[in-house]
Amino acid sequence: VQVGTSIENNETAGISHLLEHLIFRDERIPTKIYISYLNDEGATYVNGYTSQNITEYIATIDSKKSYWLVKTFFDMIFDKKINKNDLEEVRDSMKVEIGDMKWYHTSVYHLNNFIDWVAGIFPSALEMYYHAFSLEHEHTLPTEFYSIKNSKVFTLAQLMKHYDEYYYPSNMSLKIVGNFDEQKMK
């Protein structure tokens, strides 16, 4: 999916990553979690990740089940049946991956803001150059502080809005490698 952290700002930091985890859930499959379901069906590797420009879902399975896998990924990505409980369970599991808010996060955040404020009072030569020629600054990514903070408060409605905005076929690519009939796969 052509969406990642590069589209995020301080208010939306972490939304693409949280949605990536939520995509792996569905109350209609036996285990409620696609990773477990795919592993139970013979997938030897299942993962998802969100980078700056893409969110990717990956699985490997015996080529005899490749058609089933593509259909299952289609269901996983396009036919969502999730609820607030799924979101809360994903939030809990994300604490393991991205961590939880610690006592020092807020202090470091305020210290960085102070340093940025001081830097604004005494701009560098490069900063004066940008200002003199009205050059655009490169988009800076939000800090980890915002991802951790926001992941606790995003609503299911916000995540589904993000989903609707970016999860559509022409904003995605599908890559299939293996021994399969190309026409049947299409």
Side-chain angles (χ1 to χ4, degrees), residues 104-160:
Y104 55 81
H105 280 114
T106 304
S107 301
V108 170
Y109 166 73
H110 290 301
L111 179 62
N112 282 338
N113 281 345
F114 177 73
I115 291 169
D116 289 345
W117 177 77
V118 170
I121 295 172
F122 306 105
S124 67
L126 180 61
E127 194 61 38
M128 288 187 279
Y129 184 77
Y130 270 95
H131 181 71
F133 292 99
S134 299
L135 299 174
E136 285 188 36
H137 284 90
E138 190 174 311
H139 173 69
T140 55
L141 298 175
T143 62
E144 178 186 42
F145 169 81
Y146 288 109
S147 293
I148 294 170
K149 179 180 165 230
N150 294 345
S151 291
K152 292 179 168 196
V153 296
F154 284 128
T155 65
L156 188 57
Q158 288 173 301
L159 287 157
M160 294 314 291

Coordinates of all heavy atoms in Angstrom, one line a residue, residues 104-160:
Y104 N 10.4 9.8 30.9 CA 11.3 10.7 30.2 C 10.8 11.2 28.8 O 11.4 12.2 28.3 CB 12.7 10.1 30.1 CG 12.7 8.7 29.3 CD1 12.7 8.7 28.0 CD2 12.7 7.5 30.1 CE1 12.6 7.5 27.3 CE2 12.7 6.3 29.4 CZ 12.6 6.3 28.0 OH 12.6 5.1 27.4
H105 N 9.8 10.5 28.2 CA 9.4 11.0 26.9 C 8.9 12.4 26.9 O 9.3 13.2 26.0 CB 8.3 10.1 26.4 CG 8.8 8.8 25.8 ND1 8.5 7.6 26.4 CD2 9.5 8.5 24.8 CE1 9.0 6.6 25.7 NE2 9.7 7.2 24.7
T106 N 8.1 12.8 27.9 CA 7.6 14.1 27.9 C 8.7 15.1 28.2 O 8.7 16.2 27.6 CB 6.5 14.3 29.0 OG1 5.5 13.3 28.7 CG2 5.9 15.6 29.0
S107 N 9.6 14.8 29.1 CA 10.8 15.7 29.4 C 11.6 15.9 28.1 O 12.0 17.0 27.8 CB 11.6 15.1 30.5 OG 10.9 14.9 31.6
V108 N 11.9 14.9 27.4 CA 12.7 15.0 26.2 C 12.0 15.8 25.1 O 12.6 16.6 24.5 CB 13.1 13.6 25.7 CG1 13.7 13.7 24.3 CG2 14.1 12.9 26.6
Y109 N 10.7 15.6 25.1 CA 9.9 16.3 24.1 C 9.9 17.8 24.4 O 10.2 18.6 23.5 CB 8.4 15.8 24.2 CG 7.4 16.7 23.5 CD1 7.3 16.8 22.1 CD2 6.5 17.5 24.3 CE1 6.4 17.6 21.5 CE2 5.6 18.3 23.7 CZ 5.6 18.4 22.3 OH 4.7 19.2 21.7
H110 N 9.8 18.2 25.7 CA 9.8 19.6 26.0 C 11.2 20.2 25.9 O 11.4 21.3 25.4 CB 9.3 19.8 27.5 CG 7.9 19.6 27.6 ND1 6.9 20.3 26.9 CD2 7.2 18.7 28.4 CE1 5.7 19.9 27.2 NE2 5.8 18.9 28.1
L111 N 12.2 19.4 26.1 CA 13.6 19.9 25.9 C 13.9 20.1 24.4 O 14.4 21.2 24.1 CB 14.6 18.8 26.5 CG 16.1 19.2 26.3 CD1 16.5 20.4 27.0 CD2 17.0 18.0 26.7
N112 N 13.4 19.2 23.6 CA 13.6 19.4 22.1 C 12.8 20.7 21.7 O 13.3 21.4 20.8 CB 13.1 18.2 21.3 CG 14.0 17.1 21.4 OD1 15.2 17.3 21.6 ND2 13.6 15.9 21.2
N113 N 11.6 20.9 22.2 CA 10.9 22.1 21.8 C 11.6 23.4 22.2 O 11.6 24.4 21.5 CB 9.5 22.1 22.4 CG 8.5 21.2 21.7 OD1 8.8 20.8 20.5 ND2 7.4 20.9 22.3
F114 N 12.2 23.3 23.4 CA 13.0 24.5 23.9 C 14.2 24.7 23.0 O 14.5 25.9 22.6 CB 13.5 24.3 25.4 CG 14.3 25.4 25.9 CD1 13.8 26.6 26.2 CD2 15.7 25.2 26.0 CE1 14.6 27.6 26.7 CE2 16.5 26.2 26.5 CZ 15.9 27.4 26.8
I115 N 14.9 23.7 22.6 CA 16.1 23.8 21.7 C 15.6 24.4 20.4 O 16.3 25.3 19.8 CB 16.8 22.4 21.6 CG1 17.5 22.1 22.9 CG2 17.8 22.5 20.5 CD1 18.0 20.6 23.0
D116 N 14.5 23.9 19.9 CA 14.0 24.4 18.6 C 13.6 25.9 18.7 O 13.9 26.7 17.8 CB 12.8 23.6 18.1 CG 13.1 22.2 17.7 OD1 14.3 22.0 17.4 OD2 12.2 21.4 17.6
W117 N 13.1 26.3 19.9 CA 12.7 27.7 20.1 C 14.0 28.6 20.1 O 14.0 29.6 19.5 CB 11.9 27.8 21.4 CG 11.6 29.2 21.8 CD1 10.6 29.9 21.3 CD2 12.2 30.0 22.8 NE1 10.6 31.2 21.9 CE2 11.6 31.2 22.8 CE3 13.3 29.8 23.6 CZ2 11.9 32.3 23.7 CZ3 13.7 30.8 24.5 CH2 13.0 32.0 24.5
V118 N 15.0 28.1 20.8 CA 16.3 28.9 20.9 C 16.9 28.9 19.5 O 17.4 30.0 19.1 CB 17.2 28.2 21.9 CG1 18.6 28.8 21.8 CG2 16.7 28.3 23.3
A119 N 16.8 27.9 18.8 CA 17.4 27.9 17.4 C 16.6 28.9 16.5 O 17.2 29.5 15.6 CB 17.3 26.5 16.8
G120 N 15.4 29.1 16.8 CA 14.6 30.0 16.0 C 15.0 31.5 16.3 O 14.9 32.3 15.5
I121 N 15.5 31.7 17.5 CA 15.9 33.1 17.9 C 17.2 33.4 17.3 O 17.5 34.5 16.8 CB 16.0 33.2 19.5 CG1 14.6 33.0 20.1 CG2 16.7 34.5 19.9 CD1 14.6 33.0 21.6
F122 N 18.1 32.4 17.2 CA 19.4 32.5 16.6 C 19.6 31.6 15.4 O 20.2 30.6 15.5 CB 20.5 32.2 17.6 CG 20.4 33.0 18.9 CD1 19.9 32.4 20.1 CD2 20.7 34.3 19.0 CE1 19.8 33.1 21.2 CE2 20.6 35.1 20.1 CZ 20.1 34.4 21.3
P123 N 19.0 31.9 14.3 CA 19.0 31.0 13.1 C 20.4 30.9 12.6 O 21.2 31.8 12.6 CB 18.1 31.7 12.1 CG 18.0 33.1 12.5 CD 18.3 33.2 14.0
S124 N 20.6 29.7 12.0 CA 21.9 29.4 11.4 C 22.0 30.1 10.0 O 21.0 30.6 9.5 CB 22.1 27.9 11.2 OG 21.1 27.5 10.2
A125 N 23.2 30.1 9.5 CA 23.3 30.8 8.1 C 22.4 30.0 7.1 O 21.8 30.7 6.3 CB 24.8 30.7 7.7
L126 N 22.4 28.7 7.2 CA 21.5 27.9 6.3 C 20.1 28.3 6.5 O 19.4 28.5 5.5 CB 21.8 26.4 6.6 CG 21.0 25.5 5.7 CD1 21.3 25.7 4.2 CD2 21.2 24.1 6.1
E127 N 19.6 28.5 7.7 CA 18.2 28.8 7.9 C 17.9 30.2 7.4 O 16.9 30.5 6.8 CB 18.0 28.8 9.5 CG 16.5 28.8 9.8 CD 15.7 27.7 9.3 OE1 16.2 26.5 9.2 OE2 14.6 27.9 8.8
M128 N 18.9 31.2 7.5 CA 18.7 32.5 6.9 C 18.6 32.4 5.4 O 17.9 33.2 4.8 CB 19.8 33.4 7.4 CG 19.7 33.8 8.9 SD 20.8 35.1 9.4 CE 22.3 34.1 9.7
Y129 N 19.4 31.5 4.8 CA 19.4 31.3 3.4 C 18.0 30.9 2.9 O 17.5 31.4 2.0 CB 20.5 30.3 3.0 CG 20.7 30.1 1.6 CD1 21.4 31.0 0.8 CD2 20.2 28.9 1.0 CE1 21.6 30.8 -0.6 CE2 20.4 28.7 -0.4 CZ 21.1 29.7 -1.2 OH 21.3 29.4 -2.5
Y130 N 17.5 29.9 3.6 CA 16.1 29.4 3.3 C 15.1 30.5 3.4 O 14.3 30.6 2.5 CB 15.7 28.2 4.3 CG 16.1 26.9 3.9 CD1 17.3 26.3 4.3 CD2 15.3 26.1 3.0 CE1 17.7 25.0 3.9 CE2 15.7 24.8 2.6 CZ 16.9 24.3 3.1 OH 17.2 23.0 2.7
H131 N 15.2 31.3 4.4 CA 14.3 32.4 4.6 C 14.4 33.5 3.6 O 13.4 33.9 3.0 CB 14.4 33.0 6.0 CG 13.5 34.1 6.3 ND1 12.1 33.9 6.5 CD2 13.7 35.5 6.4 CE1 11.5 35.1 6.7 NE2 12.4 36.0 6.6
A132 N 15.6 33.8 3.2 CA 15.9 34.9 2.2 C 15.4 34.5 0.9 O 14.9 35.4 0.1 CB 17.4 35.2 2.2
F133 N 15.5 33.3 0.5 CA 15.0 32.8 -0.8 C 13.7 32.1 -0.8 O 13.3 31.5 -1.8 CB 16.1 32.0 -1.5 CG 17.4 32.7 -1.8 CD1 18.5 32.7 -0.9 CD2 17.4 33.5 -2.9 CE1 19.6 33.4 -1.2 CE2 18.6 34.2 -3.2 CZ 19.7 34.2 -2.4
S134 N 13.0 32.2 0.3 CA 11.7 31.5 0.4 C 11.7 30.1 0.0 O 10.8 29.6 -0.7 CB 10.6 32.3 -0.3 OG 10.5 33.6 0.1
L135 N 12.7 29.3 0.4 CA 12.8 27.9 0.0 C 12.0 27.1 1.0 O 11.9 27.4 2.2 CB 14.3 27.5 0.1 CG 15.2 28.2 -0.9 CD1 16.7 27.7 -0.6 CD2 14.9 27.9 -2.3
E136 N 11.4 26.0 0.5 CA 10.6 25.1 1.3 C 11.6 24.2 2.1 O 12.6 23.7 1.6 CB 9.7 24.3 0.5 CG 8.5 25.0 0.0 CD 7.5 24.1 -0.7 OE1 7.3 22.9 -0.3 OE2 6.9 24.5 -1.7
H137 N 11.2 23.9 3.3 CA 12.0 23.0 4.1 C 11.4 21.6 3.8 O 10.3 21.4 3.5 CB 11.8 23.2 5.6 CG 12.5 24.4 6.1 ND1 12.0 25.7 6.2 CD2 13.8 24.4 6.6 CE1 12.9 26.5 6.7 NE2 14.0 25.8 7.0
E138 N 12.3 20.6 3.9 CA 11.9 19.2 3.7 C 11.0 18.8 4.9 O 11.2 19.2 6.0 CB 13.2 18.3 3.7 CG 12.9 16.9 3.3 CD 14.2 16.1 3.2 OE1 15.1 16.6 2.5 OE2 14.2 15.0 3.7
H139 N 10.0 18.0 4.6 CA 9.0 17.6 5.6 C 9.8 16.8 6.6 O 10.5 15.8 6.3 CB 8.0 16.7 4.9 CG 7.0 16.1 5.9 ND1 6.1 16.8 6.7 CD2 6.9 14.8 6.2 CE1 5.5 15.9 7.4 NE2 5.9 14.7 7.2
T140 N 9.7 17.2 7.9 CA 10.4 16.4 8.9 C 9.3 15.5 9.5 O 8.2 15.8 9.7 CB 11.0 17.3 10.0 OG1 9.9 18.1 10.5 CG2 12.1 18.1 9.5
L141 N 9.8 14.3 9.8 CA 8.9 13.3 10.4 C 8.7 13.5 11.9 O 9.6 14.0 12.6 CB 9.5 11.9 10.2 CG 9.6 11.5 8.7 CD1 10.3 10.1 8.6 CD2 8.3 11.4 8.0
P142 N 7.5 13.2 12.4 CA 7.3 13.4 13.8 C 8.2 12.5 14.6 O 8.6 11.4 14.2 CB 5.8 13.0 14.0 CG 5.2 13.0 12.6 CD 6.3 12.8 11.7
T143 N 8.4 12.9 15.9 CA 9.2 12.0 16.8 C 8.5 10.8 17.3 O 7.2 10.8 17.2 CB 9.7 12.9 18.0 OG1 8.6 13.3 18.7 CG2 10.5 14.1 17.5
E144 N 9.2 9.9 17.9 CA 8.6 8.7 18.4 C 7.6 9.1 19.5 O 6.6 8.4 19.7 CB 9.7 7.9 19.0 CG 9.3 6.6 19.7 CD 10.4 5.9 20.4 OE1 11.3 6.6 21.1 OE2 10.5 4.7 20.3
F145 N 7.8 10.2 20.2 CA 6.9 10.6 21.2 C 5.4 10.7 20.7 O 4.5 10.2 21.3 CB 7.3 12.0 21.7 CG 6.3 12.7 22.6 CD1 6.2 12.4 24.0 CD2 5.4 13.7 22.1 CE1 5.3 13.0 24.8 CE2 4.5 14.3 22.9 CZ 4.4 14.0 24.2
Y146 N 5.3 11.3 19.5 CA 3.9 11.4 19.0 C 3.3 10.1 18.6 O 2.1 9.9 18.7 CB 3.9 12.4 17.8 CG 4.1 13.8 18.2 CD1 5.3 14.5 18.0 CD2 3.1 14.5 18.9 CE1 5.5 15.8 18.3 CE2 3.3 15.8 19.3 CZ 4.4 16.5 19.0 OH 4.6 17.8 19.4
S147 N 4.1 9.2 18.0 CA 3.6 7.9 17.6 C 3.1 7.1 18.8 O 2.0 6.5 18.8 CB 4.7 7.1 16.9 OG 5.0 7.6 15.7
I148 N 3.9 7.1 19.9 CA 3.5 6.4 21.1 C 2.2 7.1 21.7 O 1.2 6.4 22.1 CB 4.6 6.4 22.2 CG1 5.8 5.5 21.6 CG2 4.1 5.8 23.5 CD1 7.0 5.6 22.4
K149 N 2.2 8.4 21.8 CA 1.1 9.1 22.4 C -0.2 8.9 21.6 O -1.2 8.6 22.1 CB 1.5 10.6 22.5 CG 0.4 11.5 23.0 CD 0.9 13.0 23.0 CE -0.3 13.9 23.2 NZ -0.3 14.9 22.2
N150 N -0.1 9.1 20.3 CA -1.3 9.0 19.4 C -1.8 7.6 19.3 O -3.0 7.5 19.2 CB -0.9 9.5 18.0 CG -0.6 11.0 18.0 OD1 -0.9 11.7 18.9 ND2 0.0 11.4 16.9
S151 N -1.0 6.6 19.3 CA -1.5 5.2 19.2 C -2.4 4.9 20.4 O -3.2 4.0 20.2 CB -0.3 4.3 19.2 OG 0.4 4.4 18.0
K152 N -2.3 5.6 21.5 CA -3.2 5.3 22.6 C -4.6 6.0 22.4 O -5.5 5.6 23.1 CB -2.6 5.9 23.9 CG -1.4 5.2 24.3 CD -0.8 5.9 25.6 CE 0.2 5.0 26.2 NZ 0.5 5.4 27.6
V153 N -4.7 7.0 21.5 CA -5.9 7.7 21.5 C -6.7 7.7 20.1 O -7.8 8.2 20.0 CB -5.7 9.2 21.9 CG1 -5.3 9.3 23.3 CG2 -4.7 9.9 21.0
F154 N -6.0 7.1 19.1 CA -6.7 7.1 17.8 C -8.0 6.3 18.0 O -8.1 5.3 18.7 CB -5.9 6.4 16.7 CG -4.8 7.2 16.2 CD1 -3.5 6.7 16.1 CD2 -5.0 8.5 15.7 CE1 -2.5 7.5 15.6 CE2 -4.0 9.2 15.1 CZ -2.7 8.7 15.1
T155 N -9.1 6.8 17.4 CA -10.4 6.1 17.4 C -10.5 5.2 16.2 O -9.8 5.3 15.2 CB -11.6 7.1 17.4 OG1 -11.5 7.8 16.1 CG2 -11.5 8.1 18.5
L156 N -11.4 4.2 16.3 CA -11.7 3.3 15.2 C -12.1 4.1 14.0 O -11.7 3.8 12.9 CB -12.7 2.3 15.6 CG -12.9 1.1 14.6 CD1 -11.6 0.4 14.3 CD2 -14.0 0.2 15.2
A157 N -12.9 5.2 14.2 CA -13.4 6.0 13.1 C -12.2 6.7 12.4 O -12.1 6.8 11.2 CB -14.4 7.1 13.6
Q158 N -11.2 7.2 13.2 CA -10.0 7.8 12.6 C -9.2 6.8 11.7 O -8.8 7.1 10.6 CB -9.1 8.4 13.6 CG -9.7 9.7 14.3 CD -8.8 10.1 15.5 OE1 -8.6 9.3 16.4 NE2 -8.3 11.3 15.4
L159 N -9.1 5.6 12.3 CA -8.3 4.6 11.5 C -9.1 4.2 10.3 O -8.4 4.0 9.2 CB -8.1 3.4 12.5 CG -7.0 3.7 13.5 CD1 -7.2 2.7 14.7 CD2 -5.6 3.5 12.9
M160 N -10.4 4.0 10.3 CA -11.1 3.6 9.2 C -11.1 4.8 8.1 O -11.2 4.5 6.9 CB -12.6 3.2 9.5 CG -12.6 2.0 10.4 SD -11.6 0.6 9.8 CE -12.4 0.1 8.3

